[in-house]
Amino acid sequence: MDAELVIVADAEALAREAAQRIVGLAHEAVAARGLFSAALSGGSTPGALYRLLAKEPTRSQIPWAQVHLFWADERCVPPDDAGSNYWSAYQALIAHVPIPPENVHRVRGELAPEAAARAYEREMRRFFRGRRPDFDLVLLGLGSDGHTASLFPNSGSLAETERLAVATTADYSNRPAKRVTLTLPALNAARQILFLVSGLEKAEIVRAVFEDVEGRLPARRVRPAAGQLTWLVDATAAALVPNGLPLGPLTVIKKRL
Ligand code: 6PG
């Protein structure tokens, strides 16, 4: 499969480029299927993007009534806790746009992890009517250990083949440890996966992911079966990506905007 690596100048350009792509994807999806389903990610990187989507001129360019929001992962905390991915997206985006509340399909982080994962899986199976969860967009971040969503290195959840969401535990950067994550089969059913990565502190791990031909790192195992894979990376985070990229099962098409 092909992956696109798009390198932009800085964090601001990253948010702008992602916002433009989301406007385009939302219109295409609504024209083709009548709705736009997107799974958001947590962490600090997408905050600027969420704020941009909530502001004019982007806000009016998105058909909010047809947008359905899900999450790639969630921390098991109440929905108004500072550690909640739903809460971060709510404050930066959802509170400011005319999305119908029933279109916001959050993970119920206030439940026990296994119950929250099961409830979220039921919600996805209901929404996708038993089809694979072919999200129009899954936004993902990259942890400095190579995790993405809440799929951490060496975690048993990487081996999941049936379930769409599982409970998991990980200590990372003083963030809540109990989590619910989409599994690889759920992520890899997406029509479009967009990684957003910014900052010098990610440069080593970005290089490691692109050199990881064997797929040891969770982020490298995200390979949509029929969809598009795009890495949107700012110049400092992409600084160590070698010029002659390794090929392996992934052909990387490098662009600089
Ligand atoms: C989470 C995430 C996680 C995140 C990375 C990168 O809930 O913690 O979804 O996978 O995207 O840890 O986080 P930063 O953007 O803060 O570096």
Side-chain angles (χ1 to χ4, degrees):
M1 68 163 299
D2 288 345
E4 193 189 19
L5 167 62
V6 179
I7 302 171
V8 296
D10 53 21
E12 206 183 301
L14 190 79
R16 263 201 321 270
E17 177 63 22
Q20 259 175 32
R21 286 174 179 243
I22 290 172
V23 170
L25 288 170
H27 282 279
E28 274 170 37
V30 169
R33 291 174 295 283
L35 56 85
F36 174 62
S37 58
L40 305 180
S41 74
S44 53
T45 309
L49 164 66
Y50 297 159
R51 287 190 291 277
L52 204 57
L53 293 175
K55 258 192 355 202
E56 296 301 351
T58 328
R59 183 179 183 272
S60 306
Q61 293 168 357
I62 294 183
W64 291 107
Q66 280 80 44
V67 173
H68 286 259
L69 294 180
F70 291 79
W71 273 262
D73 70 330
E74 182 57 282
R75 293 86 175 264
C76 292
V77 291
D80 58 353
D81 186 286
S84 160
N85 289 343
Y86 162 78
W87 187 239
S88 306
Y90 179 82
Q91 288 186 306
L93 171 64
I94 296 168
H96 312 290
V97 297
I99 183 169
E102 63 275 18
N103 291 13
V104 178
H105 309 264
R106 71 174 179 87
V107 181
R108 292 165 63 197
E110 66 275 29
L111 302 178
E114 183 57 25
R118 297 267 176 202
Y120 190 44
E121 171 133 7
R122 277 196 300 278
E123 177 63 4
M124 283 186 282
R125 293 205 185 269
R126 184 193 65 77
F127 181 82
F128 290 102
R129 299 199 179 95
R131 293 195 323 274
R132 64 195 180 94
D134 51 354
F135 286 110
D136 295 305
L137 171 68
V138 177
L139 273 182
L140 290 174
L142 176 66
S144 49
D145 56 357
H147 80 260
T148 191
S150 287
L151 294 169
F152 285 82
N154 306 318
S155 158
S157 47
L158 290 166
E160 181 57 48
T161 56
E162 300 296 324
R163 290 178 60 182
L164 304 179
V166 293
T168 189
T169 304
D171 279 317
Y172 179 79
S173 195
N174 292 325
R175 293 174 176 177
K178 292 185 177 161
R179 293 155 175 254
V180 169
T181 186
L182 291 186
T183 58
L184 285 169
L187 293 173
N188 288 335
R191 292 172 184 272
Q192 169 77 62
I193 298 215
L194 184 57
F195 276 91
L196 297 183
V197 192
S198 165
L200 195 54
E201 67 281 10
K202 298 287 174 67
E204 277 293 348
I205 192 66
V206 168
R207 171 172 61 187
V209 169
F210 280 92
E211 288 180 347
D212 180 20
V213 174
E214 286 150 25
R216 283 175 306 104
L217 296 168
R220 184 64 186 250
R221 295 180 60 182
V222 175
R223 291 180 202 150
Q228 301 288 317
L229 174 59
T230 302
W231 281 80
L232 199 51
V233 181
D234 75 7
T236 49
L240 301 177
V241 174
N243 276 331
L245 287 164
L247 299 178
L250 195 72
T251 305
V252 178
I253 301 161
K254 194 171 172 182
K255 279 192 205 162
R256 191 175 279 271
L257 292 187

